[in-house]
Amino acid sequence: MSRATVGGPASGARGEYGDLLPVRPAGAPPVVCLRGHYLALFGMIKSHSPRYRLHTTLCETCRRQEAGDAGERRLAEWAHLDVRVQHPPGAVPPDGLVLVAVPPPTGSATGKIELRLDGLTTGTATLTSCAACRSATLDYVHVDAGHRRLGYGRTLVRATLVRAPGYAWSAPAPDGPVARAFRARVALPRTGPLCVHRGK
């Protein structure tokens, strides 16, 4: 059944499903909110984001402090994305926030992970790995300007790392202040063991 609204089908572009929320990789139940409040002290609300089609957490301390001011809720509520769920390019859900694993082209060791919102790519991470060396490189991470500072980049990094668990990972230092500021938050060495199989 299609989602109909006045003025045409719902797209999310007109805010039918609310503003974009911060995203964090799903995992153990959260202990603190994005502002650092301990959730066990005054509670949290488990909800769902129709915009992302993901489960969310809303900090009760933040909610009460902000008194319902939507402009202040940027860090009060966040969505949880399971980075282990990565769809092949031919079977991507058309709605919500999803990860897509694009395999390397024939003859290449470099693949990519895309973060798509309602079918549009909002961020990309590329990785190069070698099963023989059990080494991998996070080559590049890019998030569209309109979707930055929401955790999309860190989610892409986590999604990339689960592609090669137990590998020795590294990531080069990028150019530019924005890319360097992001890279400074990624806990990977600048260089790793050289792969002797590349180029063969």
Side-chain angles (χ1 to χ4, degrees):
M1 181 168 60
S2 63
R3 299 174 311 222
T5 60
V6 175
S11 67
R14 296 182 298 275
E16 302 96 320
Y17 310 127
D19 294 329
L20 296 175
L21 295 173
V23 178
R24 295 294 183 268
V31 176
V32 296
C33 76
L34 301 186
R35 288 193 174 100
H37 300 135
Y38 284 95
L39 298 170
L41 192 57
F42 297 111
M44 59 186 171
I45 297 172
K46 294 291 188 180
S47 188
H48 184 266
S49 167
R51 184 75 174 93
Y52 288 154
R53 298 202 167 190
L54 296 173
H55 294 292
T56 66
T57 297
L58 172 62
C59 171
E60 275 283 75
T61 304
C62 290
R63 185 182 70 83
R64 293 172 183 173
Q65 184 177 6
E66 293 154 3
D69 184 347
E72 293 295 327
R73 285 186 57 172
R74 183 178 175 88
L75 296 179
E77 186 176 13
W78 68 98
H80 306 274
L81 179 61
D82 188 344
V83 297
R84 298 168 300 178
V85 179
Q86 301 180 12
H87 303 275
V92 183
D95 299 316
L97 188 68
V98 298
L99 290 161
V100 181
V102 181
T106 303
S108 172
T110 301
K112 64 181 177 178
I113 306 291
E114 295 179 349
L115 190 58
R116 296 185 189 177
L117 179 58
D118 297 335
L120 299 176
T121 300
T122 59
T124 304
T126 59
L127 66 147
T128 304
S129 63
C130 175
C133 291
R134 294 190 63 80
S135 65
T137 304
L138 174 63
D139 300 308
Y140 179 72
V141 179
H142 173 77
V143 175
D144 291 346
H147 295 86
R148 291 176 184 164
R149 304 188 66 80
L150 290 168
Y152 284 27
R154 73 177 71 197
T155 301
L156 281 166
V157 170
R158 287 280 294 276
T160 302
L161 298 181
V162 302
R163 299 294 301 178
Y167 279 40
W169 280 89
S170 61
D175 294 326
V178 173
R180 289 194 172 199
F182 173 76
R183 177 62 183 86
R185 295 191 294 270
V186 178
L188 292 175
R190 289 180 60 173
T191 57
L194 295 177
C195 174
V196 299
H197 302 96
R198 292 189 192 181
K200 291 190 176 182

